[in-house]
Amino acid sequence: MATVELDDIRKSFGPTEVIKGVSVDVADGEFIVIVGPSGCGKSTLLRMVAGLETITEGELRIGGTRVNAREPMDRDIAMVFQNYALYPHMSVAQNMGYGLRIKGLPKPEIAAKVQEAAELLQLTDFLDRKPRQLSGGQRQRVAMGRAIVREPSVFLFDEPLSNLDAKLRVQMRLEIRELQAKLGITSLYVTHDQVEAMTMADRMIVMNEGRVEQIGTPLDVYERPESLFAAQFIGSPSMNILAVEGREDGLHLDAMILPNPTGVSGPVMLGLRPEHLSPDPGGPIAMKVLLSEPLGANTLLHGKLAGGQSFTASLPGVHRADHRDEPLRLSILPENMHVFDRDTERRVG
């Protein structure tokens, strides 16, 4: 097992800087999820840890040792890719043991390690099959098994579930998390799916345009987003963002006056999560409902406020009331309100 330390890591392609000073210390056995939209630099960052991309500036340490100039094979890491990267002409057992065979380990030792990993991943009945004879989930298990048999200090996962259907993704993310906890191997996991990040991470790194927006536990990021980007990216449906004016008596938007939890004055951005809104006949928020999406456990209501701003509320259960003719009144607790500076887009208070 090992720690992973990124100290002001930067990456440039010519004059273009794509990774802009990432620093994070990953503890031994910790599961870190790097999450962000496509093109934010998360896979490039992972490839630098793997040694597949050179580091322009900064220092990378694995197990306390600087590894900037080390070849990938000398970093004691194993990587699981999005496309599985299995050899189609080899059996499951051969795929899983290939790296060990290249290292020159004796055949009996390879067979023992492959058998042990196969039992852990419930692949013992498929060891003689070729990848084309497996389902997507089984292929991903084989790719994980190939990584496990190497007994690395660090696991790197690059969007490993992107090619699976929704139901299988749910199953596989549980299996990956349980497996990592059982093995206790330090892991960095890249995804654009914020649900994966929320459900799998010990801590998450939220990235945007090559920068770190926030590092924290999933609940920390959800409950106290430090930037406007993190607030909108984490959480489904996305947080409502409104341009409001802070005054002594509250936050003003047209005729709406909400509590001012931070006491801020002047123009700011207000964030309200749809699931934190409650129906309230005397509530300060008046929403004209244009579309209702009943989901069973909750109902999504989409509409507009008086000034024309788009707005979404998520109400528990089946909400059957029709508010097309008159506005739906809503309220929210001050502790569930998030205020951001309009210029820096960072959290206020």
Side-chain angles (χ1 to χ4, degrees):
M1 307 313 121
T3 58
V4 179
E5 301 164 81
L6 287 76
D7 186 2
D8 196 27
I9 295 294
R10 297 175 182 270
K11 175 67 179 178
S12 297
F13 293 105
T16 304
E17 190 175 45
V18 294
I19 301 295
K20 304 169 183 177
V22 175
S23 297
V24 63
D25 291 343
V26 183
D28 186 9
E30 191 174 20
F31 195 106
I32 293 286
V33 176
I34 307 170
V35 64
S38 297
C40 73
K42 55 189 185 295
S43 289
T44 300
L45 183 64
L46 193 77
R47 289 172 63 83
M48 287 195 287
V49 175
L52 302 176
E53 291 282 358
T54 57
I55 297 171
T56 305
E57 292 182 38
E59 189 166 285
L60 171 66
R61 295 181 292 275
I62 297 178
T65 302
R66 188 179 189 274
V67 297
N68 288 45
R70 284 195 180 182
E71 293 296 322
M73 68 179 66
D74 298 324
R75 297 192 181 197
D76 199 17
I77 56 96
M79 194 161 183
V80 179
F81 296 92
Q82 175 180 345
N83 62 357
Y84 320 132
L86 301 178
Y87 296 105
H89 63 287
M90 292 185 183
S91 68
V92 167
Q94 290 169 332
N95 266 286
M96 290 173 64
Y98 182 73
L100 301 181
R101 184 161 63 86
I102 293 298
K103 283 187 173 182
L105 267 66
K107 288 184 178 180
E109 186 176 345
I110 294 174
K113 288 180 179 291
V114 168
Q115 183 64 35
E116 184 180 354
E119 290 174 2
L120 190 65
L121 294 163
Q122 300 178 25
L123 288 171
T124 50
D125 294 336
F126 306 99
L127 289 174
D128 294 328
R129 294 191 186 182
K130 299 291 177 60
R132 66 176 179 273
Q133 297 172 298
L134 305 176
S135 68
Q138 289 164 345
R139 291 178 200 173
Q140 193 56 274
R141 286 195 191 95
V142 175
M144 290 167 57
R146 182 179 53 196
I148 289 169
V149 297
R150 294 177 55 192
E151 299 178 351
S153 295
V154 181
F155 272 152
L156 304 179
F157 297 89
D158 189 8
E159 303 259 16
L161 308 184
S162 295
N163 291 335
L164 306 180
D165 61 53
K167 183 178 180 180
L168 193 52
R169 279 203 304 271
V170 173
Q171 177 187 333
M172 286 300 300
R173 72 183 184 225
L174 291 174
E175 291 185 10
I176 289 175
R177 195 62 181 94
E178 288 176 1
L179 180 66
Q180 188 273 339
K182 185 181 296 183
L183 297 174
I185 297 178
T186 308
S187 300
L188 277 70
Y189 183 107
V190 160
T191 182
H192 65 275
D193 186 333
Q194 54 104 358
V195 175
E196 278 183 30
M198 288 291 292
T199 55
M200 298 179 73
D202 291 328
R203 285 189 298 155
M204 62 168 69
I205 302 172
V206 182
M207 290 192 66
N208 180 35
E209 296 182 347
R211 292 186 176 87
V212 172
E213 293 282 340
Q214 187 170 354
I215 300 174
T217 68
L219 284 181
D220 284 343
V221 178
Y222 174 82
E223 293 176 346
R224 190 177 171 81
E226 293 297 329
S227 72
L228 201 57
F229 177 86
Q232 290 182 287
F233 191 80
I234 299 299
S236 181
S238 184
M239 182 183 285
N240 296 296
I241 301 296
L242 305 171
V244 299
E245 180 83 18
R247 300 179 191 170
E248 193 172 323
D249 63 337
L251 299 174
H252 288 243
L253 174 62
D254 300 320
M256 181 177 79
I257 304 177
L258 281 165
N260 190 345
T262 63
V264 69
S265 61
V268 292
M269 305 302 290
L270 173 65
L272 306 175
R273 291 204 182 278
E275 58 271 28
H276 289 159
L277 297 159
S278 302
D280 180 353
I285 304 170
M287 170 190 179
K288 182 180 180 182
V289 178
L290 301 177
L291 176 66
S292 173
E293 292 184 291
L295 302 177
N298 63 308
T299 302
L300 296 184
L301 300 176
H302 305 278
K304 292 186 180 295
L305 302 182
Q309 302 90 343
S310 296
F311 201 76
T312 298
S314 177
L315 305 183
V318 179
H319 194 80
R320 300 185 182 281
D322 187 355
H323 296 277
R324 290 179 180 274
D325 296 327
E326 61 182 61
L328 169 65
R329 308 293 301 201
L330 301 161
S331 62
I332 190 166
L333 296 174
E335 56 263 35
N336 290 328
M337 299 169 63
H338 308 273
V339 181
F340 303 92
D341 184 276
R342 195 173 292 193
D343 295 323
T344 65
E345 298 189 350
R346 303 301 297 180
R347 186 180 189 89
V348 175

